Amino acid sequence: MESKSERAPASLKTKTLMSALKTKYADKSWNETMQLVRRCMDKTRGDKRVSEPITKCLEKINEALNASSLTGMVSRLEMIAKQRGLGSHLSPTETVCYLTADLFYIEVLLLPGGRVEDVRAAHRGEAPVSSPSLLQLLRMKKFQEFSVKLDDLVSFYNIQGDGDVKAKVYSALRHLETDLFKISHLPRSLRESDLHVDLIMNGRIGNVQPARDGTPTTVEYYISPLDVLMGLSDTGDVGSGRMALVMVGNSDGSHRLQIESLISSPPQVDSLGFPVFQPLTDSCSELLPATFLLKLQPPLPMLSSFIENMGTITDGVMSEKPLQVEPLPQLLIKQRSHISWTDGIQCVVPLPASEYHSYVFPGAEWGRESWKGALIHTVPFCHPGHVPALLNVLRHQSAINVLLESCLSDHSHHMDAGSQFDLRCEVLPESDHCLSVTFSLDDSNHLAVLEVTAEDSHQMSCRLLMPDFVDHKLDDYISRVLMRCMSIPITMRAIRKKVSSQTSRPVPDPELSTAMEITSCEPASVSHEAVQEPRTASSSPGYYLMSVSSPVADNANTDAVANPSPCASLAVYPHWVTSGLPAELL
């Protein structure tokens, strides 16, 4: 190993050289210095080890100049292009800077002084289209964000092969997008009063948005009631849920991809309302070293059984099993906070009215193989007909994740047994799609168990097991509450109120059965006050009679709502919508 004494002469020599350079170029302008650095980069282009420090030097010079001139702006754009592996050149009139790749290019229209007039993105064989987002970034001189956007574009077209192969893969992607839009416009019945939510949750392929501003086509496939409420509180519009970008990706083997639309115009549909696809023959498809991709945003923690199911749907395209699997709650915790998972975790979930629940996830129980999974970033497929089935799996997994996440919070505690909570719960895994919540009510020494089964993203069933207490109508009520709020803590709160209101009556109430019948027919528009008091017809039509302890009003609104969708409507938590974000649940 080299000693300090041996390194000293080299260090001294470097300092002397740097001092000489500073003296030599002290009177030089920034532009002259930049030209010198560029010449050095051209001479050392073949050796990355030599050009890397020079590149960093040029980056610092560009940042110091702040692109306050036409030359400075051009230099900054060329540097960004070089960083992202793009070509660049200036038009003969020096008014347009081009950033180029095999399948797309960016036009930056420049004005004197380095100002930007417009930014246009052009895909292969298509006319340039103005990109407001890219234009805004350059006008605000947010070069780092602009560079990240270009990197997204480069990754979007990350295809192996020569220019001809890349062009064919890009063409296949465009035909896929055409078929996805055809599927999305097929007629169907509405299940949710909010059209945007209905399209996301019940549309055959969710809410499809076309490519724009250099971004790929997106599919919004799931939205939780809390997502809806947070969006309403922020902007008055429904919030965004889970999305997938429709892209292409490299593949080790060749796959048959479409080179034209596989759905006739007008589309023919089968008995289930899905389109009839043209067979993949040599005339309408070609073997290419790529697959289509659903790039999940954010990445989705998925059970291993669900991952295998997607492999079956895609005919083995998604065939590789994840190398590392972890308990599903552990994957969810990693996504949302810095909390570590050792032998399990205890989370404290705050609720309205200063109510606190404790939820314990025993590590040993959640370590069983059936509840282990992996974080999935992309889902490869080769046919537009795969997408509806894949989205159903993604929705199902999303629903399970939302239920588990409702019991997780950043309030992780290792509290002693004397800590006071309104409810202590232990969450345990059962079958692949079933979990149980064990708890004890305040006035009981016996344990009770709530079994929750997520049959799919639209259907949740609950079963309450309590000593000396059997009420099958209550199970139906709890199931509808859970489907509306998709929150185990809020459902547990409703159970406490419902059970206490029934067990507190020493003598059977003749009106109880009537009230229970009303409850079993009402929509589960349940908030944290859902079972406190009845509502009359003079109240907002979003409210329904919920109490089983109060007499039934003659003018109570007991009509069943024509909306069986489990996703929350605008009247689920009306007091939260009017008073701001439900901060207690964040």
Side-chain angles (χ1 to χ4, degrees):
M1 182 177 292
E2 192 177 35
S3 65
K4 290 184 178 179
S5 60
E6 292 173 331
R7 290 198 305 267
S11 176
L12 181 61
K13 184 178 179 180
T14 301
K15 289 182 179 179
T16 304
L17 179 60
M18 292 301 296
S19 178
L21 285 172
K22 288 179 180 178
T23 302
K24 181 176 181 180
Y25 291 98
D27 298 328
K28 299 290 184 181
S29 67
W30 278 110
N31 286 335
E32 288 182 271
T33 305
M34 188 179 298
Q35 290 173 6
L36 175 63
V37 173
R38 282 180 176 172
R39 287 198 297 271
C40 292
M41 289 180 66
D42 290 337
K43 290 181 180 179
T44 61
R45 192 179 301 275
D47 190 349
K48 277 191 173 182
R49 292 173 300 176
V50 178
S51 63
E52 184 176 349
I54 301 177
T55 301
K56 290 182 178 179
C57 179
L58 185 58
E59 289 176 6
K60 291 182 179 180
I61 294 175
N62 276 319
E63 291 171 2
L65 288 174
N66 197 26
S68 56
S69 65
L70 180 62
T71 303
M73 177 60 78
V74 171
S75 178
R76 197 63 182 266
L77 292 173
E78 290 176 344
M79 175 58 65
I80 292 173
K82 187 180 296 291
Q83 290 172 338
R84 300 306 179 187
L86 303 177
S88 62
H89 65 273
L90 198 59
S91 67
T93 59
E94 297 187 350
T95 57
V96 182
C97 183
Y98 294 93
L99 312 180
T100 60
D102 288 336
L103 294 178
F104 75 94
Y105 65 89
I106 303 292
E107 296 179 353
V108 181
L109 281 64
L110 300 171
L111 296 171
R115 292 178 292 117
V116 180
E117 180 182 5
D118 196 8
V119 178
R120 300 171 184 169
H123 303 281
R124 180 161 180 158
E126 301 175 7
V129 178
S130 292
S131 174
S133 63
L134 295 177
L135 175 62
Q136 182 74 2
L137 291 176
L138 285 185
R139 282 184 172 176
M140 298 177 67
K141 296 185 178 180
K142 293 185 176 181
F143 297 109
Q144 182 59 37
E145 290 86 344
F146 179 79
S147 179
V148 171
K149 277 277 191 179
L150 286 187
D151 194 42
D152 290 340
L153 266 175
V154 172
S155 63
F156 178 40
Y157 296 110
N158 184 23
I159 307 168
Q160 294 176 344
D162 56 25
D164 184 52
V165 171
K166 292 183 177 182
K168 290 179 179 179
V169 173
Y170 178 71
S171 175
L173 178 63
R174 283 291 183 243
H175 289 302
L176 168 73
E177 292 170 347
T178 299
D179 285 346
L180 293 183
F181 279 104
K182 287 182 179 180
I183 298 173
S184 68
H185 286 89
L186 291 175
R188 62 181 181 85
S189 59
L190 298 179
R191 300 176 58 188
E192 173 64 37
S193 57
D194 188 291
L195 298 182
H196 180 67
V197 172
D198 184 78
L199 188 58
I200 296 171
M201 295 296 293
N202 305 313
R204 291 179 178 85
I205 52 171
N207 180 25
V208 186
Q209 295 297 322
R212 61 181 182 276
D213 283 357
T215 60
T217 296
T218 61
V219 175
E220 194 174 1
Y221 63 88
Y222 185 84
I223 188 167
S224 71
L226 187 57
D227 290 332
V228 176
L229 289 170
M230 291 181 68
L232 286 170
S233 300
D234 283 337
T235 63
D237 298 324
V238 174
S240 296
R242 288 157 175 76
M243 290 187 289
L245 306 181
V246 182
M247 305 173 62
V248 287
N250 293 317
S251 174
D252 294 335
S254 295
H255 298 276
R256 189 166 289 280
L257 303 182
Q258 62 188 96
I259 55 175
E260 62 181 51
S261 174
L262 301 180
I263 302 176
S264 60
S265 295
Q268 296 180 357
V269 296
D270 59 20
S271 58
L272 298 177
F274 287 95
V276 177
F277 295 94
Q278 179 182 349
L280 286 177
T281 60
D282 291 339
S283 62
C284 66
S285 65
E286 190 168 338
L287 284 172
L288 296 169
T291 64
F292 301 129
L293 293 177
L294 292 176
K295 185 176 182 180
L296 307 182
Q297 301 212 327
L300 189 67
M302 296 195 72
L303 295 170
S304 298
S305 59
F306 282 45
I307 298 173
E308 294 174 7
N309 188 11
M310 290 195 297
T312 302
I313 292 171
T314 60
D315 298 323
V317 176
M318 189 174 179
S319 57
E320 292 186 7
K321 294 182 179 180
L323 298 178
Q324 289 185 334
V325 293
E326 297 175 293
L328 185 59
Q330 183 176 355
L331 293 170
L332 296 172
I333 289 171
K334 282 185 176 180
Q335 275 198 314
R336 55 183 292 137
S337 70
H338 62 279
I339 300 171
S340 61
W341 173 285
T342 52
D343 294 328
I345 195 170
Q346 176 188 11
C347 288
V348 178
V349 179
L351 290 168
S354 299
E355 182 172 324
Y356 291 88
H357 292 186
S358 167
Y359 291 89
V360 176
F361 289 78
E365 293 292 334
W366 286 96
R368 62 178 63 175
E369 288 300 318
S370 61
W371 276 90
K372 285 186 177 181
L375 188 64
I376 300 301
H377 293 79
T378 58
V379 179
F381 65 100
C382 292
H383 194 283
H386 294 158
V387 178
L390 289 174
L391 292 187
N392 282 337
V393 177
L394 294 175
R395 286 167 172 161
H396 192 179
Q397 182 67 68
S398 297
I400 294 174
N401 291 357
V402 167
L403 288 179
L404 288 174
E405 286 173 334
S406 69
C407 300
L408 302 172
S409 72
D410 295 335
H411 302 274
S412 176
H413 299 274
H414 299 285
M415 297 184 173
D416 55 45
S419 300
Q420 295 297 316
F421 298 108
D422 295 280
L423 195 63
R424 290 177 178 272
C425 302
E426 185 179 45
V427 185
L428 299 172
E430 301 298 336
S431 64
D432 287 357
H433 312 149
C434 178
L435 57 90
S436 65
V437 183
T438 303
F439 63 100
S440 177
L441 297 178
D442 299 335
D443 55 353
S444 173
N445 294 324
H446 300 290
L447 291 177
V449 177
L450 175 67
E451 289 186 353
V452 178
T453 302
E455 299 172 14
D456 56 38
S457 61
H458 299 100
Q459 186 63 38
M460 309 285 160
S461 61
C462 295
R463 183 185 178 200
L464 182 62
L465 305 175
M466 293 181 62
D468 304 323
F469 187 92
V470 178
D471 188 343
H472 297 298
K473 293 181 180 178
L474 182 58
D475 289 343
D476 180 64
Y477 165 79
I478 296 170
S479 300
R480 288 183 285 112
V481 170
L482 184 68
M483 285 191 292
R484 280 294 182 179
C485 66
M486 290 299 291
S487 168
I488 289 177
I490 293 176
T491 304
M492 297 302 298
R493 181 185 175 103
I495 291 173
R496 289 183 64 206
K497 290 180 177 291
K498 200 74 169 178
V499 172
S500 62
S501 68
Q502 294 186 30
T503 58
S504 61
R505 291 180 178 273
V507 179
D509 189 333
E511 294 181 342
L512 178 61
S513 59
T514 305
M516 285 300 296
E517 288 296 332
I518 294 172
T519 304
S520 65
C521 294
E522 68 197 355
S525 300
V526 180
S527 68
H528 66 265
E529 301 297 338
V531 293
Q532 286 192 346
E533 59 185 58
R535 302 284 177 172
T536 64
S538 60
S539 302
S540 170
Y543 292 78
Y544 293 85
L545 186 63
M546 303 300 288
S547 176
V548 296
S549 59
S550 302
V552 180
D554 292 336
N555 59 347
N557 182 0
T558 60
D559 294 337
V561 70
N563 178 11
S565 173
C567 196
S569 61
L570 306 189
V572 177
Y573 308 111
H575 52 286
W576 285 355
V577 174
T578 56
S579 62
L581 287 175
E584 300 90 341
L585 295 182
L586 297 181

